[in-house]
Amino acid sequence: DGDGSDEYHLEESGQGAGFFGHGLALDSGEGDDSYYIFGEGQGFGGCYGIGVIANWAGNEHYYAEPYASVVDRGDYHSDFDINVSNAQGVGAGRRGDGTDGHSWAGGLGFIADIHGDDTYEAGNFSLGTGYWFGTGLMYDKEGNDLYKSVYFTQASGAHYCIGAIVDEAGGDRHDLFANAGAALSFGWDFSVNLLVDKAGDDFYKSNIISIGCAEIRSNAFFFDLSGDDHYIAQQGGLVMGAVDFRGYDEPHQLSPFYQYCNSIGLFIDAGGDDHDKDTVLGDNGFET
């Protein structure tokens, strides 16, 4: 698409999705575009696939339906109230060890937006997230952006994967809701994750296991390089450079490589007048 303010509406598998192939959705114009999908799209790489969505300019709105009450893709991580989105820069494979035993590696999912104040909304497994040997990447060059999602999201991953977000500039808001965790550079089970925000006064709100948190032999790196930033996270939780404390000193005789892998969690805020606040999650949301 070359120009204009466009609206894209789809249920599943598209807007830049690839399964055993390549799917590209490219907009080089300057209009304010909106994208709606149930799941598996907006930059989704399925098994052996590459999915890319890229937009040059405009105030874009990317929406992957988060609520199971609208369309039932409910995820057990969120009591089946929030959907598995597999959208907005997600690479995910097929995990078969709990079903028929046949597993396929995930592909590459990538979402890129260059100019504008953009809004990204999704449920679980979204926004620069990898799953089961997949790679999920997200890049936003500039603008005051809103990232709104729930769990396993925003530079996270699970099971031998990579998930990353790079935001170059702008006053951005990373707002997690519902059970609000496994996000903002979070790794689980041999996952490598990275969130980099280079400039702007940013806001980060989560609840549990987030903000440079690594578990089960993962690496999670969080860098905010400048700006007056604000962080909200659960009091006493594994956040801001935390790692788990699971025992790693008894390797299985058939998988000794576990012995040689550690978890690394890194949280660096390199500049600005920042405010750290601990909160607890109340019945109606976050309470200071």
Side-chain angles (χ1 to χ4, degrees), residues 39 49 133 192 274:
F133 299 93
V192 178
D274 305 315

Side-chain angles (χ1 to χ4, degrees), residues 171-222:
D172 306 309
R173 183 180 180 93
H174 297 263
D175 196 352
L176 274 69
F177 64 100
N179 53 318
L184 302 173
S185 188
F186 170 77
W188 177 271
D189 190 27
F190 289 95
S191 177
V192 178
N193 301 94
L194 172 69
L195 189 152
V196 177
D197 191 291
K198 296 182 66 176
D201 300 335
D202 306 307
F203 179 89
Y204 304 93
K205 183 176 77 171
S206 66
N207 185 27
I208 58 174
I209 52 174
S210 56
I211 314 179
C213 174
E215 293 196 273
I216 317 298
R217 302 169 177 86
S218 294
N219 297 331
F221 307 108
F222 179 103

Side-chain angles (χ1 to χ4, degrees), residues 28 45 49 63-64 84 105 110 123 125 141 148 166 184 203 208 251:
S28 60
Y63 192 93
V84 173
F110 181 44
F125 294 94
K141 181 175 177 58
K148 188 174 182 180
V166 176
L184 302 173
F203 179 89
I208 58 174

